[in-house]
Amino acid sequence: MAPNLDLFGGDAPPQQGRLVLGAQSVVLRGYALPMVADLLAGVDAVTAQAPFRHMDTPGGYTMSVALTNCGELGWTTDARGYRYSRIDPLSDRPWPAMPEAFGQLARDAAAAAGFPGFSPDACLVNRYEPGSRLSLHQDKNERDYNAPIVSVSLGMPAIFLFGGDNRADKAARVPVFHGDVVVWGGVDRLRYHGVMPLKDLPHPRLGSQRINFTLRKAG
Ligand code: MD6
Ligand code: FE
């Protein structure tokens, strides 16, 4: 192949542009690609202090997605319920600080999606392996629903399910790729969503995993 036709070293070309999901929700294709190295360094720094773990749900299941947190507040679940906490129950210490690159990306992406002034205090980091899934849920443990949520996808692709305000509403199937950022808030803030069981489509940099992190204003 002529060198000028191989700009991406054999990888698929990065996607660009936006996919509108709802009145106040959008996928920003490839928005995180320029800062992937900083984001992955941030994930490594966070997980060195607060490793990924499989949490239990109040319903008696163990999540197939492994998770951890950074920032002032971290989301946890156990037999007693879902909540935000300042302390990592595994270490009994505060969650690791939010890496600067996470906060910057979240502010920029939120503003690009119509939510200026976003200032997240919590970041939930999820790790998916082939077969991991996330059943339909609403994000409603945050105190203030005026702030949006910014969700960053790295590694293997996934099919994000984007439903309505009721669990039974039909959900759209939205493929999300390495570097995509989903922002939602406002009238769409409480829509049901989830992730289909992941296929094993190894990513050149991250192998057989998908890392997703979601930035929120929880407190
Ligand atoms: C995920 N994301 O994409 C799971 N929540 O792995 C979420 O649960 C989520 O992507 C709220 C807003 C955006 C999200
Ligand atoms: Fe969610």
Side-chain angles (χ1 to χ4, degrees), residues 124 126 134 137-139 149 160 184 191 193-194 214 216:
L124 172 50
N126 295 313
L134 195 62
H137 66 277
Q138 292 170 295
D139 288 8
I149 294 179
F160 185 61
W184 68 29
R191 286 175 69 166
H193 59 279
T214 54
R216 301 125 187 267

Side-chain angles (χ1 to χ4, degrees), residues 163-198:
D165 289 336
N166 298 106
R167 189 184 293 277
D169 294 344
K170 190 169 165 51
R173 296 177 174 205
V174 182
V176 286
F177 301 94
H178 181 70
D180 287 353
V181 178
V182 185
V183 182
W184 68 29
V187 297
D188 292 324
R189 178 62 181 73
L190 290 177
R191 286 175 69 166
Y192 276 86
H193 59 279
V195 178
M196 302 254 298
L198 247 73

Side-chain angles (χ1 to χ4, degrees), residues 97-157:
M98 193 181 300
E100 180 53 38
F102 288 27
Q104 190 63 52
L105 172 62
R107 283 187 288 279
D108 292 349
F115 299 99
F118 181 47
S119 169
D121 58 10
C123 177
L124 172 50
V125 187
N126 295 313
R127 187 190 65 206
Y128 294 72
E129 292 173 331
S132 300
R133 63 189 293 265
L134 195 62
S135 52
L136 280 180
H137 66 277
Q138 292 170 295
D139 288 8
K140 57 178 186 187
N141 297 119
E142 299 74 26
R143 184 170 298 164
D144 174 7
Y145 296 150
N146 287 313
I149 294 179
V150 173
S151 168
V152 182
S153 292
L154 297 172
M156 291 205 297

